[in-house]
Structure formats: structure tokens, C-alpha cells
């Protein structure tokens, strides 16, 4: 399957409220429309994850990130620009996202992806995409397609074809929490 067709199908599934499995700039992820409460709920159930544990959202650009976070602190832009590996920032004052995706304190974990497949997927979708590890909560994260359990594979509406054949180590992103008051906390 051509990458363009793969992305087109994944976007169609998410626009219809479905959930997908896809390669990201880090590990394989389970994704959906980050503005769709029901789709987000399906991911929590599939992962058997407590819905008080936040999930990451991917976007394709600075401009898109600003549509979903009120007042991005200046230090966030500096961190994202200087980061040598994929970096997720947890930011206060999330807006325009599914309420069950936003943490109790009003924050959201966002990452601007630079990896070609996930960046194009985000660009074509035109909204943030949930990006949570493709595993049952508490089990090891799937670094490659071959590491994904049957339960996860069977629990989604579409599995992307791109990068399935990769067999190399992948790591989750760094996670940094940035508070409005300027406090910086390294989570991972």
C-alpha cells in the first residue's frame, strides 16, 4: 500500500470516530481524534487504563499546537526548538480537546512530530491525534509493529501499513511539564 493511501484511510477512520494503530516519531501508537470524547474513551478501555492518566497528543506544527493550548509559555518554544530527540511538553490551559483527554489540572501533553509519516498524518487530519503506546497498561510498549499484541491489533479499526517491517529500537519521548508560573519539571 502506498503511504498516501495509508494516510488517507487512517484519516477517514479517525474522522468517523475510529481508532488506529500507527508508527510515530517514537514507538507505535494507538491514535484517534483528540477532540472526540467517545474515541478517546475507547482507547482507555482498550488499554485498560485509568482515565485519570493523561495521554499524549501529536500535532504537525507550532500553529496547530497553539489552537489547543491557551498561552503557550515562551520556554516551551525554546525547549521544542533545541530538543535533539522527540520531546513532549505538558502545558496548562488545554482547550478544544475531548474533556476526558485533559488532565484534572487542565493540562495536556502535546508533541510536535517531525517524523515524515506521523507529521503528514497530523497535517492531513488537521487536528491533534492521540498518541499513546500500543500496549495494555502496565505491559511493555511496542517499539515495532511485531511487538504489538493480538488484543491491541484486534481492538482498533485500522492498522497502518507504513513502517510495519522495521525492526529497530525506538524509545518513548522525553516529557517535560511546563507550568504557567514558569516552573519546569522533567517527567521522563
Amino acid at each position: 500500500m502506498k503511504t498516501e493511501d495509508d494516510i488517507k484511510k487512517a484519516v477517514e477512520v479517525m474522522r468517523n470516530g475510529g481508532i488506529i494503530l500507527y508508527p510515530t516519531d517514537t514507538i507505535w501508537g494507538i491514535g484517534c481524534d483528540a477532540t472526540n470524547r467517545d474515541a478517546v474513551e475507547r482507547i482507555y478501555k482498550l488499554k485498560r487504563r485509568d482515565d485519570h492518566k493523561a495521554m499524549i497528543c501529536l500535532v504537525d506544527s507550532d500553529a496547530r499546537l497553539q489552537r489547543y493550548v491557551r498561552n503557550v509559555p515562551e520556554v516551551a518554544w525554546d525547549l521544542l526548538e533545541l530538543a535533539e530527540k522527540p520531546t513532549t511538553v505538558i502545558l496548562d490551559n488545554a482547550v478544544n480537546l475531548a474533556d476526558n483527554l485533559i488532565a484534572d489540572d487542565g493540562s495536556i501533553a502535546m508533541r510536535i512530530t517531525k517524523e515524515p509519516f506521523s507529521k503528514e498524518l497530523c497535517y492531513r487530519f488537521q487536528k491533534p491525534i492521540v498518541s499513546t503506546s500500543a500496549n495494555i497498561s502496565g505491559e511493555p510498549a511496542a517499539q515495532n509493529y511485531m511487538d504489538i499484541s493480538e488484543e491491541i491489533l484486534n481492538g482498533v479499526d485500522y492498522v497502518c501499513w507504513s513502517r510495519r517491517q522495521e525492526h529497530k529500537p525506538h524509545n518513548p519521548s522525553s516529557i517535560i511539564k511546563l507550568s504557567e508560573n514558569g516552573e519546569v519539571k522533567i517527567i521522563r
Side-chain angles (χ1 to χ4, degrees), residues 28-63:
W28 271 75
I30 305 172
C32 72
D33 177 349
T35 67
N36 183 322
R37 186 181 210 296
D38 294 337
V40 170
E41 182 61 32
R42 283 187 59 208
I43 292 178
Y44 280 123
K45 285 183 178 161
L46 176 60
K47 286 183 62 78
R48 293 189 230 141
R49 184 176 179 148
D50 180 355
D51 66 6
H52 290 291
K53 289 188 173 185
M55 293 189 286
I56 295 169
C57 293
L58 287 188
V59 292
D60 64 318
S61 66
D62 296 358

Side-chain angles (χ1 to χ4, degrees), residues 12-89:
E12 177 187 322
V13 167
M14 289 188 293
R15 284 199 177 126
N16 290 318
I19 60 177
I20 65 168
L21 262 174
Y22 68 111
T24 74
D25 53 342
T26 58
I27 56 181
W28 271 75
I30 305 172
C32 72
D33 177 349
T35 67
N36 183 322
R37 186 181 210 296
D38 294 337
V40 170
E41 182 61 32
R42 283 187 59 208
I43 292 178
Y44 280 123
K45 285 183 178 161
L46 176 60
K47 286 183 62 78
R48 293 189 230 141
R49 184 176 179 148
D50 180 355
D51 66 6
H52 290 291
K53 289 188 173 185
M55 293 189 286
I56 295 169
C57 293
L58 287 188
V59 292
D60 64 318
S61 66
D62 296 358
R64 188 129 16 245
L65 182 128
Q66 289 179 297
R67 293 179 195 158
Y68 298 94
V69 176
R70 226 181 248 123
N71 305 323
V72 177
E74 206 51 49
V75 68
W77 302 121
D78 295 338
L79 277 170
L80 292 170
E81 187 177 319
L82 297 172
E84 293 181 11
K85 69 177 210 165
T87 301
T88 300
V89 289

Side-chain angles (χ1 to χ4, degrees), residues 73 75 90 92 176-185:
V75 68
I90 300 173
D92 291 335
I176 300 170
K177 182 166 178 44
L178 303 172
S179 299
E180 259 190 325
N181 65 7
E183 186 180 323
V184 176
K185 182 178 180 184

Side-chain angles (χ1 to χ4, degrees), residues 80-152:
L80 292 170
E81 187 177 319
L82 297 172
E84 293 181 11
K85 69 177 210 165
T87 301
T88 300
V89 289
I90 300 173
L91 301 165
D92 291 335
N93 299 311
V95 293
N96 306 319
L97 295 165
D99 63 343
N100 56 343
L101 191 58
I102 299 171
D104 292 340
D105 66 359
S107 66
I108 189 69
M110 301 285 278
R111 185 166 72 248
I112 300 170
T113 181
K114 295 177 179 128
E115 181 272 328
F117 182 85
S118 54
K119 185 176 181 76
E120 184 68 14
L121 181 65
C122 290
Y123 174 75
R124 295 283 177 98
F125 190 59
Q126 296 286 300
K127 293 185 204 176
I129 299 173
V130 169
S131 181
T132 186
S133 57
N135 62 312
I136 301 298
S137 206
E139 293 181 2
Q143 292 185 32
N144 296 288
Y145 173 77
M146 67 178 190
D147 302 324
I148 302 170
S149 73
E150 285 297 316
E151 184 176 355
I152 296 293

